Amino acid sequence: MAWFNREKKGIVTPTEMKREAPDGLWYKCPECKTVTLSKTHADNAYCCPNCNYHTKVGSMQYFSLLFDNDEFTELDADMISGDPLEFKDTKAYPDRIKATIVKTGLKDALRSAHGLVGGHKMVIACMDFEFIGGSMGSVVGEKLARAIDYGRINRAPVLVIARSGGARMMEAGYSLMQMAKTSAKLALLDKAGVPYISLLTDPTTGGVTASFAMLGDFNLAEPKSLIGFAGPRVIRETIGKDLPEGFQSAEFLLEHGFVDFIVPRQELKDKLVSLVAMLGF
Amino acid sequence: MEPADQPDKKPAKRKAKIAKPAIEAKPKAEKAKPDADSIVSKVLLIEQLPAPSPLHTDIASPPALMLLEFEKPIAALEARINEMRALVSEEDEMFKQLEERLKSLKKETFARLTPWQRVQVSRHPDRPYTLDYIQTICDEFIELHGDRNVGDDKAMIGGLGRIGDQSIMFVGQQKGRNTKQRQFRNFGMANPEGYRKALRLMKTAEKFGVPIVCLIDTPGAFPGLEAEERGQGEAIARNLREMFMLTVPVICIVIGEGASGGALGIGIGDRVLMLENTWYSVISPESCSSILWRSWDYKELAAEALKLTAKDMLKAGLVDDIIKEPLGGAHTDPVAMAKKLKKVILDQVAELSLLSVDDRISQRIDKFSAMGVVVE
Ligand SMILES: [Zn+2]
């Protein structure tokens, strides 16, 4: 499968490859504990062949799953975070960023690229949860804004894959305003009549849910993903009761009318192609 | 979600005072000397009550106000001045000296407030709320209810108001004062139907070319079971996107707490303004402390780190301007504060009305699109 031979034009050398690759030859499912060959797992769209648990993979895997021949051109690949507020909690924010870049091989919590998906032009922006919980700061907001602009100007459908704990607190007010910025860009895309598809994956919460992730012309979700505005812990503390089983799951959202359909990852590409083709894109 | 930072239990006396909207007090309060000290004007407010609570025995004495720690020296001095007022002439040298001292004490205290202390002022239980402002500012106000879908959210109010010959659509979160009202208003935490009600009213305003004013005062959108079932995230997200395209002028003013997505859900405007002693950020200092420091004890530090004050938000270019409050905070002179707000609203509406619809929308979009700091 594509993830180990992905040397393509315009792609920065992916140190993340080493990290993202399953540890060794074997993959152990955290749900059913079944052990499979890593290659078998990857060939099954990074889902457990036994219980179909969807492993929480990132931009590299989604790009390789979706873009034809794993060919794409990354946008704004070198953009990294500033420290406008000189934020310091138990650690200074720039130190946290630097350490996370080294640890993950990623520059921030979102990567964006354009290419062909089943022969159709598409822009894909995908969040990386392992970068500070997929939190949205200025880089995520700005890259997303530009990716949406790219889609609008080139009349290419935009797919955003959300996997995020929400706002990045270390950017405080700036982080909050990324919700506004991305929604502004989506308003323009909407007006231009270019399709926007939002894929919600496990987990999608907070400010991401309350902005771009819920604004799709089509909201798709991966099976069993946790999707919500407030986190389950906060809700439990607020109402002082345990939450019903399946609360805030993708299936729960489907039932309540907030996602169009749930899509197993193995079928994602086919579904996307069908959708954009039917819309004439 | 701010777990009761302010105690719910209030002296019974308070009830009487708050039961009435500020508008009832307006004629009398305006007769008061413009520089009348705050306690006196508060007494005036109280005197307007038609039926004081039986527990409120001594209406002439200053009411039992909720005092923040740093307000106590000010209140003590105010009390002394009030005692003297009964005994000596206002021309008395010592009296004048004391009044001078009071003024400088207030000035110093409020100039030196820490971010956390400003957060406390923004939540001051005596602080004017959305309806207090609307009723004081407007010559006429018709409240409008419901989202036309599931219900009427009491935490999000709205309606058509008239200031002179200017019509305005107001929306805003509404907090309550006593325990009962707080529950009724859900502590100013709206459910999805609140955001949908707000959007419905904004669309109505758009249809008839009426400018929109959003008054923001919330500890956050409600994190509840039904809120999730009914799509809290979707409701807020939709507001963000739709507000960018509104053809009428939109002015958003943070009058108290501006917490996160719950605030931003009615916060997309041509002008975003903050009252001097308010805060606006992605999270409350308490929650920030509990997440980043893993303890509730670092709220002061968190308040500083978040740069959430009006001054910091203006410096960051995330809001357009600050509206000064009366010395001592909006709660010490609600009528003066409301007058100021009225002027700002009318000025801004006039200014924004000069722009074409397309210019207004593109400037609104460009402004928010420029927010953020990245390194390339
Ligand atoms: Zn499994």
Side-chain angles (χ1 to χ4, degrees):
Chain A
M1 189 66 186
W3 54 262
F4 55 80
N5 57 5
R6 199 184 121 268
E7 292 285 61
K8 293 281 144 48
K9 52 175 171 146
I11 302 166
V12 199
T13 313
T15 33
E16 70 261 35
M17 258 191 193
K18 293 174 206 130
R19 296 211 41 92
E20 288 280 328
D23 294 324
L25 272 176
W26 302 98
Y27 174 78
K28 187 177 175 189
C29 172
E31 276 296 296
C32 72
K33 315 289 178 216
T34 302
V35 176
T36 48
L37 269 175
S38 291
K39 186 172 182 325
T40 312
H41 177 249
D43 286 346
N44 193 31
Y46 306 93
C47 300
C48 171
N50 182 48
C51 72
N52 208 25
Y53 170 76
H54 283 48
T55 304
K56 295 176 191 177
V57 292
S59 56
M60 195 186 66
Q61 288 84 354
Y62 280 103
F63 287 176
S64 82
L65 282 170
L66 297 174
F67 284 119
D68 297 346
N69 308 313
D70 200 10
E71 283 178 7
F72 56 86
T73 308
E74 188 163 350
L75 298 162
D76 309 300
D78 295 326
M79 191 189 291
I80 56 166
S81 180
D83 181 23
L85 301 176
E86 297 173 352
F87 196 96
K88 189 169 181 293
D89 49 274
T90 51
K91 213 177 192 177
Y93 181 46
D95 295 343
R96 200 181 283 276
I97 290 283
K98 266 180 229 148
T100 313
I101 288 175
V102 170
K103 202 182 91 191
T104 62
L106 298 161
K107 298 277 168 59
D108 210 291
L110 180 132
R111 286 171 68 220
S112 51
H114 64 88
L116 295 176
V117 176
H120 299 265
K121 276 197 294 184
M122 200 176 286
V123 181
I124 304 179
C126 180
M127 303 192 79
D128 281 296
F129 193 77
E130 62 176 332
F131 200 98
I132 319 188
S135 54
M136 174 160 59
S138 299
V139 174
V140 169
E142 184 62 25
K143 279 178 125 177
L144 200 46
R146 293 188 196 178
I148 296 166
D149 278 349
Y150 185 92
R152 177 170 52 85
I153 292 159
N154 295 282
R155 297 200 68 75
V158 177
L159 167 70
V160 177
I161 303 173
R163 193 193 299 282
S164 170
R168 185 169 300 168
M169 265 171 282
M170 302 77 146
E171 292 191 32
Y174 287 104
S175 167
L176 181 65
M177 296 310 162
Q178 303 312 306
M179 293 170 64
K181 181 200 282 186
T182 54
S183 304
K185 295 299 186 182
L186 287 174
L188 292 173
L189 188 72
D190 185 59
K191 206 175 153 199
V194 176
Y196 169 46
I197 301 165
S198 171
L199 175 68
L200 299 108
T201 73
D202 187 44
T204 301
T205 59
V208 168
T209 304
S211 59
F212 62 87
M214 273 293 162
L215 290 174
D217 295 308
F218 309 97
N219 290 339
L220 283 46
E222 284 192 349
K224 295 184 180 161
S225 304
L226 173 80
I227 303 163
F229 172 65
R233 188 184 55 84
V234 177
I235 301 171
R236 211 178 299 122
E237 280 167 12
T238 306
I239 64 173
K241 273 191 288 205
D242 278 338
L243 303 173
E245 183 144 354
F247 182 66
Q248 294 185 312
S249 65
E251 293 72 16
F252 174 93
L253 267 89
L254 180 71
E255 194 54 38
H256 285 89
F258 292 100
V259 299
D260 289 280
F261 58 90
I262 291 170
V263 57
R265 200 180 287 154
Q266 299 92 334
E267 299 168 22
L268 175 61
K269 183 167 177 172
D270 288 349
K271 283 283 192 313
L272 291 172
V273 171
S274 296
L275 268 180
V276 297
M278 279 192 261
L279 297 171
F281 279 83
Chain B
M1 161 80 209
E2 310 312 317
D5 189 50
Q6 311 114 11
D8 266 2
K9 248 172 53 193
K10 285 274 125 59
K13 282 188 198 172
R14 280 194 48 82
K15 263 191 196 158
K17 174 178 165 274
I18 39 139
K20 248 7 232 188
I23 192 165
E24 304 290 335
K26 200 172 150 202
K28 184 78 174 247
E30 274 179 345
K31 266 186 254 156
K33 290 185 309 198
D35 61 344
D37 91 66
S38 58
I39 297 274
V40 172
S41 51
K42 278 207 178 282
V43 172
L44 288 176
L45 288 177
I46 289 214
E47 279 176 348
Q48 294 303 309
L49 291 173
S53 144
L55 289 169
H56 197 160
T57 46
D58 184 8
I59 204 151
S61 76
L65 297 171
M66 167 79 187
L67 290 173
L68 298 170
E69 213 36 61
F70 56 85
E71 287 183 306
K72 282 178 182 166
I74 297 172
L77 190 54
E78 275 174 335
R80 243 181 93 197
I81 291 175
N82 273 329
E83 276 166 29
M84 269 188 91
R85 194 187 303 275
L87 303 173
V88 302
S89 128
E90 296 201 356
E91 298 308 310
D92 184 277
E93 261 317 300
M94 205 168 131
F95 184 80
K96 277 160 97 177
Q97 267 178 25
L98 273 181
E99 287 218 305
E100 269 312 302
R101 214 163 93 198
L102 176 65
K103 219 171 150 187
S104 60
L105 179 64
K106 274 190 189 172
K107 222 178 221 163
E108 279 163 32
T109 307
F110 274 79
R112 272 205 315 253
L113 289 189
T114 65
W116 172 247
Q117 286 172 327
R118 295 223 190 256
V119 170
Q120 288 180 298
V121 178
S122 79
R123 297 173 183 164
H124 200 295
D126 293 327
R127 208 173 160 83
Y129 296 148
T130 296
L131 277 171
D132 298 325
Y133 284 124
I134 291 175
Q135 283 164 336
T136 311
I137 289 170
C138 293
D139 299 309
E140 198 181 348
F141 177 66
I142 301 173
E143 193 174 345
L144 303 167
H145 296 273
D147 72 338
R148 299 292 189 269
N149 189 6
V150 306
D152 181 48
D153 194 330
K154 310 293 189 293
M156 181 77 79
I157 65 98
L160 267 174
R162 185 177 57 78
I163 310 174
D165 50 14
Q166 177 67 59
S167 303
I168 305 266
M169 181 65 86
F170 285 94
V171 298
Q173 291 98 350
Q174 178 66 33
K175 290 179 173 179
R177 293 217 184 267
N178 55 32
T179 309
K180 222 177 180 166
Q181 286 182 2
R182 279 181 200 170
Q183 280 168 355
F184 179 69
R185 298 293 182 184
N186 201 28
F187 303 87
M189 293 185 287
N191 273 288
E193 54 271 29
Y195 293 98
R196 293 181 182 128
K197 168 184 176 178
L199 184 60
R200 180 180 78 80
L201 297 181
M202 291 190 267
K203 293 276 190 184
T204 305
E206 179 180 51
K207 179 174 173 181
F208 297 104
V210 174
I212 297 163
V213 170
C214 300
L215 299 178
I216 297 168
D217 188 10
T218 182
F222 188 58
L225 206 81
E226 290 86 1
E228 295 292 321
E229 282 176 358
R230 297 199 284 265
Q232 188 72 284
E234 195 274 345
I236 292 172
R238 179 176 298 271
N239 279 19
L240 303 186
R241 192 182 66 192
E242 298 298 311
M243 287 182 79
F244 275 110
M245 290 301 183
L246 290 168
T247 54
V248 291
V250 186
I251 299 158
C252 305
I253 307 173
V254 183
I255 58 165
E257 297 190 84
S260 197
L264 191 66
I266 55 165
I268 308 296
D270 302 304
R271 296 282 186 275
V272 180
L273 312 169
M274 288 175 77
L275 298 196
E276 191 182 359
N277 296 304
T278 62
W279 70 274
Y280 193 8
S281 195
V282 76
I283 192 168
S284 73
E286 288 94 330
S287 302
C288 180
S289 160
S290 86
I291 294 170
L292 291 183
W293 281 269
R294 302 190 187 284
S295 147
W296 294 97
D297 302 336
Y298 295 86
K299 51 184 192 279
E300 285 96 341
L301 263 179
E304 238 157 82
L306 286 168
K307 306 278 197 304
L308 45 60
T309 63
K311 223 172 161 178
D312 284 328
M313 285 293 281
L314 180 66
K315 200 174 137 203
L318 300 176
V319 299
D320 298 305
D321 210 350
I322 299 173
I323 305 172
K324 281 281 229 178
E325 294 185 17
L327 194 54
H331 60 287
T332 61
D333 197 346
V335 175
M337 188 70 248
K339 272 189 184 165
K340 184 91 158 267
L341 210 55
K342 177 174 166 176
K343 185 179 175 335
V344 169
I345 289 170
L346 289 176
D347 288 353
Q348 296 291 348
V349 166
E351 209 174 286
L352 289 167
S353 301
L354 297 174
L355 295 169
S356 73
V357 171
D358 285 351
D359 283 352
R360 222 163 26 226
I361 291 176
S362 64
Q363 283 178 21
R364 196 185 296 154
I365 289 176
D366 290 349
K367 182 178 75 178
F368 281 92
S369 296
M371 292 176 183
V373 175
V374 299
V375 180
E376 286 183 271

